[in-house]
Amino acid sequence: MKQLTFLCLYYGFARHLPSRLLGGKQLRRWCCRHIFKHCGENVTIEHGAHFGTGVGISLGDFACLGIDCKVPSNLTMGREVMMGPNCVILDRNHKFERTDIPIGRQGDTERMPVVIEDDVWIGCQVLIMPGRTIKKGSIIAGGCVLCKDFPEYSIVGGNPSRLIKSRI
């Protein structure tokens, strides 16, 4: 019941507050501490962030959910993660194997959680497909459609995603 109260407070009020007005960031963080599975120190939940019920979300210290982002309720995010505005993270997709049934009637795939390790920078308008793991120290360029995994300290961009270079 407590969690439902904080969800209502977040989606009904705190989500819409500008960051600099009435302590918007602090109120969103306070709500999320009561909603998420884990909410580390100095976490930033930006204006307009959408996270479903949020019950399985785990955010490390200094992690950020970007402006108007949409993330699933089973996201795991490490420490020191930056996220630009308008990012979307998916944890499932449509089934499409059968051609005798319209795609919209085939249902969804199983949920595949996304894991974002420590010290990651996700640019604006990034789409992260289900089941991806973003390794430590990686940079995901703005506008990228991340459809596969890459090694630690990778700089990744494009649609479909490709390795641009290593930071090492």
Side-chain angles (χ1 to χ4, degrees):
M1 187 62 153
K2 177 182 164 186
Q3 189 177 37
L4 181 59
T5 302
F6 283 99
L7 269 172
C8 290
L9 177 61
Y10 176 81
Y11 282 113
F13 182 69
R15 178 180 186 220
H16 307 287
L17 285 177
S19 295
R20 297 176 197 264
L21 179 68
L22 301 173
K25 281 187 182 183
Q26 291 81 4
L27 182 57
R28 286 190 289 274
R29 181 186 308 134
W30 182 69
C31 288
C32 291
R33 287 197 186 286
H34 295 88
I35 297 169
F36 293 170
K37 179 179 172 182
H38 175 75
C39 190
E41 294 298 316
N42 294 312
V43 164
T44 301
I45 312 296
E46 292 288 1
H47 169 84
H50 186 277
F51 45 76
T53 63
V55 295
I57 292 178
S58 178
L59 299 182
D61 299 339
F62 301 96
C64 173
L65 293 181
I67 296 169
D68 293 325
C69 72
K70 290 180 179 46
V71 302
S73 290
N74 57 358
L75 173 67
T76 301
M77 186 181 281
R79 297 174 42 92
E80 304 281 351
V81 175
M82 299 185 300
M83 179 186 288
N86 301 309
C87 291
V88 176
I89 299 176
L90 303 175
D91 68 345
R92 61 184 171 168
N93 211 336
H94 293 288
K95 291 182 180 177
F96 56 86
E97 289 79 18
R98 296 186 56 182
T99 56
D100 60 324
I101 300 174
I103 295 169
R105 295 186 188 172
Q106 292 187 42
D108 295 326
T109 61
E110 295 295 317
R111 291 186 182 273
M112 296 179 283
V114 170
V115 176
I116 302 170
E117 295 181 355
D118 298 341
D119 188 27
V120 168
W121 177 15
I122 301 170
C124 68
Q125 297 182 341
V126 169
L127 172 61
I128 301 172
M129 300 303 288
R132 301 286 50 97
T133 296
I134 302 175
K135 301 285 186 175
K136 179 180 179 177
S138 293
I139 298 171
I140 311 302
C144 178
V145 177
L146 190 68
C147 52
K148 59 184 178 178
D149 296 342
F150 294 89
E152 290 183 349
Y153 300 101
S154 293
I155 299 175
V156 176
N159 177 8
S161 53
R162 62 179 175 81
L163 180 65
I164 295 172
K165 72 178 198 175
S166 175
R167 291 181 58 206
I168 299 174

